[in-house]
Amino acid sequence: MTSKANLLRDLPPAASEEIFETLLQRPGVKLERIISSGQTTPEGECYDQEEDEWVLLLAGAAKLAVEGGAGTMEEHDLAPGDALLLPAHCRHRVTWTDPLRPTIWLALHVSAAQG
């Protein structure tokens, strides 16, 4: 059955925590919408995920620090339409999201092939 959704409408009210909504999940693949309202990754913490993550900013604004060569962090300013591929174990953290309007992310997580 086909279903239609608009990822920019019918947003839940702003919350103290980011909102993660799984849109599709299959073996080795997860697609989620993330809604941020001023949240950041806690200071001193980073995401270090087992799977690749492709992230697209749909609305709002954000800054994402991504680990580069020699362990340095490179900050990326993200606007609607900007996308990044974060390979597995690429350490990264959200350093800013717009507190005045929702920041809406589309994140695709892809696990390494099993077998």
Side-chain angles (χ1 to χ4, degrees):
M1 177 185 226
T2 303
S3 62
K4 179 181 175 184
N6 185 314
L7 300 177
L8 303 178
R9 291 195 198 138
D10 300 324
L11 300 177
S16 60
E17 300 289 325
E18 286 182 304
I19 298 169
F20 294 81
E21 300 174 336
T22 299
L23 304 174
L24 175 72
Q25 190 155 5
R26 300 286 186 272
V29 176
K30 180 168 84 170
L31 180 66
E32 62 185 352
R33 176 175 76 167
I34 305 167
I35 304 169
S36 307
S37 303
Q39 292 90 1
T40 63
T41 307
E43 194 65 39
E45 293 183 22
C46 285
Y47 291 102
D48 183 351
Q49 301 165 164
E50 296 290 325
E51 66 276 343
D52 294 338
E53 180 181 9
W54 177 82
V55 64
L56 168 67
L57 196 76
L58 296 173
K63 293 182 182 189
L64 190 69
V66 179
E67 189 172 58
T72 61
M73 298 295 275
E74 179 182 344
E75 191 163 67
H76 299 270
D77 291 329
L78 302 176
D82 289 339
L84 286 173
L85 176 61
L86 303 163
H89 298 292
C90 174
R91 292 170 41 87
H92 61 283
R93 60 187 308 275
V94 178
T95 58
W96 180 83
T97 60
D98 192 334
L100 302 178
R101 60 186 169 149
T103 296
I104 304 171
W105 313 77
L106 189 63
L108 178 64
H109 303 268
V110 181
S111 298
Q114 301 294 315

